[in-house]
Amino acid sequence: MIIVSVAGPSMNEALAQVEVSSRYADAFEFRLDLIKEPPLSFLLTSTRRPIIVSCRSAREGGRFDGSDAERLEILRAAVQIGVEYVDIELRDGQAIIDEFLESGVKVIVSHHQFEKRSVNPERIYAQLRQSGAHVLKFAYMAHDAAYIRYAIEFLRLARAERQKAIAVAMGECGEPTRILYRKFGGWATYASAEDAAPAAPGQLPASMMKKLFRSDQLTSGTKVFGVVGNPVRQSRGIFVHNPLFQRAGKNFVYCRFEVHNLAAFAQHVLPWLSGCSVTLPHKQSIMKYVDRVDATTKGIRAVNTIVRKRGKLFATNTDAPGALDAIEKISKVAGKRMLVLGAGGAARSIAYEAKRRGAHVLIANRTESVAKKLAQEFKITFVPHAELAKTE
């Protein structure tokens, strides 16, 4: 289920967000702490989709600046109007949770963790489970793609008890948890309304969740691919691979994994990926975490593609043949002088392959020390920037 968060901030903006997002939403969450002075009866009857109401204090990542008593009165009023779900904070205490449970409304009990400290999904799950809520929700800030393992573990615990649960790693590093919720047994995920700012860090527009990633159609058997690097926000791979998967009728999805701690990612996430693209800064360091590297990639000492075959991870590099095969459709490089500008992973691959095919390779880079090192390693010619104009 894709829940679209409506954040206003004006009443007119909130209503417009409902209208434009209805085609993508299975339910709406009205963030009453973000919508300015909403007339509840009008707002909460603006859609036929199931409605969740929440009103978050600053300590839970919201903007409600009144007292807890005032916040709870707003939620009670929404229940009286007839919403399907109310989202209560675990910190509100069991007496408040029981009050809402006894009212007949379905209760989501949430715990939010924004601090950069260790995450304990087992402890949080146990605390939320004791509340007796219909849905358990755990949201925490992710500072690395490796952090998504906590959401997976939380949902594993819930699935074992057939408990409806939501687990979200907030921020760009946690993006895959929003997309892959069904693969790991999540009850729902949250998306931002169309043409609106996200109500929480890392929310994606509902149209992307529904059309590009097909989040609500994924299954436990979905094969997960993605791009691994830092940063990856600029990567266009999600807009290439996902449509191709859909066209081919494959139960595959391609995500973005912003990885800072490669060792942790390799331990906790890489084992369940079916393959990935690799970009800076991990093209060389990731080699130690795969089972096999082909001969050309060993020579290049940089990986851009990893594929799982028969349970093992195989690393290769498609930069070199991709570039050189294209060039050689016009002219063979053997015996020719070839200037490579740059000394990153792709340039490294092209320089290696061009030399292997018989070209005389020259290399230049803005950071000349990096180009010099690569020239020495591959026994090719370094060209200082100042002399580029003289190079023929």
Side-chain angles (χ1 to χ4, degrees), residues 49-77:
R49 299 279 194 276
I51 291 176
I52 301 164
V53 290
S54 59
C55 189
R56 304 210 180 284
S57 62
R59 69 181 181 181
E60 297 289 345
R63 295 182 188 171
F64 186 76
D65 56 5
S67 67
D68 282 343
E70 292 170 326
R71 178 175 55 82
L72 292 170
E73 277 304 310
I74 291 172
L75 295 177
R76 291 184 183 105

Side-chain angles (χ1 to χ4, degrees), residues 333 335-339 354-355 358-362 381:
V333 301
K336 304 279 179 60
R337 284 157 61 85
M338 176 180 285
L339 174 64
K355 181 184 178 184
H360 180 133
V361 181
L362 302 90
T381 303

Side-chain angles (χ1 to χ4, degrees), residues 96-341:
I96 297 297
I97 295 170
D98 287 341
E99 174 197 333
F100 281 95
L101 285 170
E102 291 166 6
S103 73
V105 71
K106 292 180 181 177
V107 175
I108 301 171
V109 171
S110 296
H111 174 76
H112 294 82
Q113 181 173 321
F114 292 91
E115 303 87 353
K116 190 173 182 179
R117 55 185 172 87
S118 61
V119 180
N120 189 328
E122 294 86 357
R123 177 177 59 82
I124 297 302
Y125 177 79
Q127 292 175 345
L128 289 168
R129 187 75 171 89
Q130 289 175 358
S131 72
H134 299 91
V135 182
L136 314 182
K137 178 185 171 187
F138 178 34
Y140 60 95
M141 189 61 70
H143 303 282
D144 190 289
Y147 278 49
I148 67 179
R149 70 186 189 270
Y150 302 125
I152 295 170
E153 176 61 18
F154 184 88
L155 293 177
R156 185 191 66 78
L157 295 168
R159 189 170 62 249
E161 297 186 333
R162 298 186 177 181
Q163 168 67 56
K164 292 179 179 178
I166 301 169
V168 175
M170 295 180 288
E172 291 184 0
C173 291
E175 182 179 282
T177 63
R178 298 184 181 277
I179 298 164
L180 302 174
Y181 74 103
R182 279 178 55 88
K183 177 173 176 62
F184 298 109
W187 176 69
T189 191
Y190 289 82
S192 63
E194 298 302 292
D195 303 320
Q203 277 187 358
L204 295 171
S207 58
M208 284 184 67
M209 297 287 285
K210 189 90 169 181
K211 295 169 65 178
L212 182 67
F213 293 111
R214 298 175 297 159
S215 301
D216 58 334
Q217 298 178 44
L218 304 184
T219 67
S220 60
T222 298
K223 291 187 177 181
V224 181
F225 300 84
V227 56
V228 174
N230 180 26
V232 291
R233 180 57 43 179
Q234 79 288 352
S235 173
R236 309 304 293 172
I238 58 172
F239 301 105
V240 174
H241 295 286
N242 287 306
L244 290 174
F245 290 158
Q246 293 180 42
R247 193 178 305 169
K250 299 293 186 181
N251 186 17
F252 298 170
V253 67
Y254 188 93
C255 302
R256 295 179 289 204
F257 296 93
E258 183 179 309
V259 176
H260 300 259
N261 184 335
L262 184 59
F265 180 83
Q267 179 181 355
H268 298 290
V269 180
L270 195 57
W272 51 262
L273 292 186
S274 293
C276 58
S277 312
V278 185
T279 189
L280 294 173
H282 304 307
K283 285 192 168 190
Q284 293 178 271
S285 51
I286 204 168
M287 293 176 70
K288 70 178 77 170
Y289 300 110
V290 300
D291 300 297
R292 180 179 171 186
V293 180
D294 66 33
T296 300
T297 304
K298 284 181 180 177
I300 297 170
R301 298 189 187 93
V303 169
N304 81 336
T305 302
I306 294 174
V307 178
R308 185 175 298 282
K309 296 180 181 179
R310 299 180 295 279
K312 301 291 185 180
L313 290 174
F314 291 79
T316 187
N317 192 308
T318 63
D319 286 332
L324 271 297
D325 288 353
I327 291 171
E328 291 199 325
K329 285 182 178 180
I330 299 172
S331 175
K332 295 295 182 183
V333 301
K336 304 279 179 60
R337 284 157 61 85
M338 176 180 285
L339 174 64
V340 178
L341 296 175

